[in-house]
């Protein structure tokens, strides 16, 4: 396996209890690890390389489970082809160049 795509379900976030769960989850993962190799693709979605960041994946899943947030994991055999395109678009928005 090359990487995992982790998606945290945010369907109930609009309700007060859902917002409290999400805020607590974010606080927990802020302490999980300072700078992982994982790419945060959106507010609730991460692409995590398993060779270097399997522990980070388990920390995110543990935090989501602890706060009763539904989540999905898609394991990928190789780096998705769209990752390079996504990084270039993200860097253009930030005014950066792709390394």
């Amino acid at each position: 396996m090359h990487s995992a795509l982790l998606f945290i379900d945010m369907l109930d976030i609009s309700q007060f209890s859902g917002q409290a769960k999400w805020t607590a989850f974010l606080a927990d993962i802020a302490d999980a690890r300072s700078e992982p190799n994982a790419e945060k693709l959106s507010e609730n979605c991460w692409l995590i390389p398993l060779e270097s960041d399997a522990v980070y994946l388990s920390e995110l899943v543990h935090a989501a489970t602890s706060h009763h947030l539904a989540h999905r994991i898609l394991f990928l055999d190789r780096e998705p082809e769209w990752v390079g395109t996504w990084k270039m678009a993200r860097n253009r928005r930030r005014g950066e160049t792709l390394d």
Side-chain angles (χ1 to χ4, degrees):
M1 292 290 147
H2 177 273
S3 53
L5 188 64
L6 173 65
F7 172 79
I8 308 290
D9 190 358
M10 295 180 66
L11 289 178
D12 67 343
I13 299 303
S14 61
Q15 301 170 354
F16 177 75
S17 63
Q19 186 64 31
K21 287 181 196 179
W22 186 251
T23 302
F25 167 76
L26 292 176
D28 280 359
I29 66 170
D31 296 335
R33 194 160 159 192
S34 58
E35 290 190 36
N37 293 322
E39 292 282 343
K40 188 171 185 182
L41 304 178
S42 68
E43 184 177 9
N44 63 328
C45 187
W46 293 261
L47 180 63
I48 303 167
L50 296 175
E51 186 173 304
S52 59
D53 286 318
V55 172
Y56 185 62
L57 172 63
S58 68
E59 290 171 347
L60 291 175
V61 170
H62 176 74
T65 303
S66 296
H67 295 291
H68 306 285
L69 294 169
H71 57 278
R72 306 289 182 270
I73 304 171
L74 175 63
F75 291 99
L76 305 168
D77 288 331
R78 59 185 181 277
E79 183 176 22
E81 294 176 12
W82 51 264
V83 170
T85 305
W86 177 84
K87 286 180 182 178
M88 287 188 333
R90 179 199 61 196
N91 290 342
R92 268 192 228 116
R93 285 191 303 272
R94 294 178 178 174
E96 300 171 1
T97 59
L98 185 62
D99 294 336

